[in-house]
Amino acid sequence: MEIGIIGSGHIGGTLTRRLSSLGHNVTVANSRGPESLADLAAETGARAAGLEDTVRGAELVVVAIPLKAVPQLPAALFDGKLVVDANNYYAQRDGEIPELLDRSLSSSRWTADHLKGARVVKVFNNIQAAHLMDNGKLAGAAGRIALPVAGDDADAKRIVMGLVDELGFDPVDAGTLDESWRQQPDTPVYGTDRDADGVREGLAAARP
């Protein structure tokens, strides 16, 4: 696939490495410009580019940036795009966003509201970057880690779940974007390496 990654931090950088190693054509952008990504590009074979170039040519775009930066993204650029939301809301970093503080809105719904027209799918937000890098296993392997995948668009979710499986993790359907609060920080599945049954149990046990 042609994959664009916005953000080169822990999760963005890890996905750049993993997806490039699987043979996907990866283009990566960050807030500091393509020059700052020269080492990552040389290491992985990914292409460093600006935001517009990264998004425009992509079949799938991963957004892995501080949540507070999402409103700065040009929404029209993402219209019709399959967007993987790997973000989390941390009030100490992102500031006070009332609807996220009281959980009346999931952070992915908040992101989707900013990126009107995008097909947003939530995944990769609950796993540590080091585990995403190193702990993938072949399908059917004992102890395979599962990742919750939430979204409103069934076809978009199917594509993303296939990518999760390719990366070495069991995808678990976590419902809609409005239900994705069940995989946010301070829930049973956040930061825990559960198998598929464990993820389902954790999602069901989550409380607002």
Side-chain angles (χ1 to χ4, degrees), residues 33-202:
E35 300 79 12
S36 69
L37 296 166
D39 288 346
L40 181 62
E43 174 194 342
T44 62
R47 186 170 69 93
L51 176 66
E52 290 197 12
D53 192 13
T54 297
V55 175
R56 205 175 299 284
E59 300 169 71
L60 179 151
V61 181
V62 178
V63 176
I65 59 177
L67 195 75
K68 63 183 178 182
V70 167
Q72 300 167 25
L73 297 174
L77 186 63
F78 293 82
D79 188 37
K81 292 289 184 180
L82 197 174
V83 172
V84 170
D85 172 20
N87 292 343
N88 287 306
Y89 172 55
Y90 302 111
Q92 66 272 26
R93 179 196 66 188
D94 300 311
E96 292 191 4
I97 303 174
E99 59 266 43
L100 300 185
L101 275 174
D102 67 14
R103 292 199 178 187
S104 59
L105 208 62
S106 72
S107 65
S108 284
R109 175 62 66 198
W110 184 86
T111 294
D113 286 346
H114 283 286
L115 301 180
K116 293 288 188 187
R119 303 154 67 204
V120 177
V121 178
K122 178 81 160 188
V123 71
F124 303 127
N125 73 296
N126 76 307
I127 186 171
Q128 296 178 38
H131 295 187
L132 180 60
M133 185 71 199
D134 299 327
N135 293 1
K137 296 184 178 182
L138 293 174
R144 199 183 200 214
I145 296 170
L147 299 180
V149 183
D152 298 338
D153 185 305
D155 186 57
K157 191 155 41 170
R158 177 188 60 78
I159 292 169
V160 173
M161 291 176 85
L163 199 63
V164 169
D165 182 54
E166 188 182 355
L167 285 162
F169 303 92
D170 282 334
V172 171
D173 192 328
T176 66
L177 286 184
D178 289 329
E179 295 174 283
S180 66
W181 64 266
R182 295 179 180 275
Q183 66 197 74
Q184 291 179 174
D186 301 319
T187 62
V189 301
Y190 179 76
T192 56
D193 294 334
R194 295 173 175 238
D195 64 11
D197 287 340
V199 166
R200 293 185 188 98
E201 291 168 3

